[in-house]
Amino acid sequence: MPAPVRSRLYREFLTAALHRRFTHAAGVSLLMCYAEAIIIGDKSSFLWSWFPLGKTGIRTLLLFLSPLLVFVLRVAQLHCGSRSTASSIQTFKQYLHRRDVLETSFCYLLSALLFSEIYIWSVPKEANLSWVVQGRSWERPRLNERPIYLRSLYLGLALLQTALHLKLDYDEVKAPFGSPHNTQSSDEQSLAPVNPVEQMKSRIPELLQGIGLVSLGSIILGPTIYSLTIRKIAWRTSHECARFLRWDIASTTELSYIPPYHITLIFRSLTSGFWLLLLWQGSNLAFSAYVAQEPLKRGQPLTQESNDPNGSLIDGLKSRKQVVKTFAFWELAKVSKQFPERRVTIFKDIDRSGGPAWSQISNECLRVIQEIPTRVSAYQKTSTQQQPPINPSQLQSLPRLGAPLREEPVLVNPPHPSSRRETVERKIGAFAKSYGNNPPSGSPMQYLEAARNKILSPEKQQTLSVTHAQSTFSTGLTKCLHWRISQPFRQTFARRVNSIVFAQPYSDMQIIVHSINSLTALATTSIQEDRYGMVARDIPVLLRTFIMAYQSLDGFTKTLGPHWTDVGFSEADRSVDDVELVLGALRRGLREIVAAFEGFAGEIGLGRKEVGIARGIAGMGEK
């Protein structure tokens, strides 16, 4: 008996697809480098200023090294789903010590250094950007501070770009989703493909506006920051590099009193900074537009060319890599709704190791959906968990300092003392009791009370009370949280819900929506295509899972209280976009499943109560 053929892993197909998309994005970036190579090059010859087989072509390839580092960074840090943190300050703490920050900073700083050397090499000599300035005949050559300023400016832009990259999370693959309040059916709710070229065209005005504002800000703040902070450090570092390379320059390290802020240098810093930012932002835009495309190849699913398409797809659904798993569930959603020939093979594939294809696929989808009530219950359990009651037997009393209590009755008259010692003890005790019951008028507490009333007015006493101090502090803190600068410290309702309901560190909302849509499409089409009736046996489990997930998620968002830092909370904030996408998919799924199987609910094990709950959630009314 021949050995079974091993199905190819899903990540093999996904890696090949990502390589093709990487190539397309790199082609767009190469065109931008070619255009910039023409602009910054020598214009003395019209032909050689644009002819690619010459200096312009070499300059283009060298400029391409700068965005290539950005592509390498994007591939290394690629992920699906937004960050699941309750506030911006939590995101900052979480990523401060991660390797991603160092990798991002290193790539952008090296990219800026490469661009600076290529740009200075490409500009004509009239720009006066050479490393060394030739002095008069009796002077030794000295360093030119103009290129030092440009390099410092590019490094500053690199740090700014690093901050934007990390804050806006450029590494996220943002798949196109419809409106969270869309009421279309699951077939009509398919994620419409977005042409990457059209997507980039629509973003160009916003992109150019942002780059222009940053470039203008650089020529305003750049000279000031350079003069006050890094001018001496940059000059000394450049001087030491020149000495290390054994250049024949003056040994003095003294700076001139006048910085090199000529109008031509300011103009070049504006234009060159614009071109550098355009390479970075344009490359990021192209990469995001191409990578976030559907998992299709020539209009067919990625696994269509596999020797075992369903096996490769199931391998992707079970993957531990989030990117692989997200694209696998996305492909399953496309197969379930748009490729009937391939969908039929899922119902027919019953002789498979590990169970029928439908059973393995449905189990993976249900496991993803069932994690919603599991996470909600775990959070509610931890938030309401109280300390265990104290067992009285475990309490340890303080050591006894006096004699044990008397056991005889204390309300009867005491016996007459029989000795001189007992007589003295009884007199001393009577004197102490009378002093405690009738203290003298000049007790210390009365003196303190009189002094307080004489020095402080009742209003001052109220102001100095602990309750008033706490109220004043709380009011001041609330006012501070309203300030715009305090926004990173606010735990908004939407971010809290997303961090609780969806996975961490990156949200799995996309996987959940694809799972719901896939099960809905497979269940409704199984009436005509499932000849073995496997799907019908699992309809009650599907319906109950959808109902439990909806009730848990909807009830949680309605009852969860706002955090004390969410000072701008209103009841309208309970509608969270990502949650509404999941709730909308569940409502559509329940509506379509009930409409398809309600006629024979009893035969497949569905109770009237379950059908009624499903109809109420789906907005179908009672029948």
Side-chain angles (χ1 to χ4, degrees), residues 228-253:
L228 297 179
T229 57
I230 64 175
R231 187 187 180 200
K232 292 183 179 180
I233 299 176
W235 174 264
R236 291 176 181 175
T237 303
S238 303
H239 195 275
E240 291 298 327
C241 291
R243 293 287 299 274
F244 177 77
L245 296 174
R246 297 183 180 277
W247 289 357
D248 185 17
I249 60 174
S251 59
T252 179
T253 59

Side-chain angles (χ1 to χ4, degrees), residues 94-168:
Q94 180 177 341
Y95 282 84
L96 180 61
H97 304 289
R98 291 185 60 174
R99 190 178 60 182
D100 296 356
V101 178
L102 296 178
E103 291 177 351
T104 306
S105 304
F106 174 78
C107 287
Y108 278 113
L109 288 173
L110 182 58
S111 176
L113 286 176
L114 290 174
F115 178 85
S116 65
E117 300 306 320
I118 298 167
Y119 177 80
I120 293 173
W121 169 74
S122 302
V123 295
K125 293 182 179 180
E126 293 78 11
N128 192 17
L129 293 179
S130 60
W131 269 87
V132 179
V133 175
Q134 299 295 334
R136 297 180 178 88
S137 58
W138 63 86
E139 294 178 343
R140 295 182 64 183
R142 66 190 310 270
L143 282 180
N144 186 3
E145 193 179 358
R146 292 166 63 94
I148 296 176
Y149 169 74
L150 282 182
R151 292 186 182 94
S152 302
L153 176 66
Y154 299 152
L155 293 179
L157 291 177
L159 295 178
L160 177 61
Q161 182 69 20
T162 299
L164 291 175
H165 188 109
L166 295 173
K167 183 180 185 302
L168 301 179

Side-chain angles (χ1 to χ4, degrees), residues 165-182:
H165 188 109
L166 295 173
K167 183 180 185 302
L168 301 179
D169 197 9
Y170 284 175
D171 300 316
E172 179 188 357
V173 178
K174 299 180 180 179
F177 274 88
S179 170
H181 305 285
N182 200 327

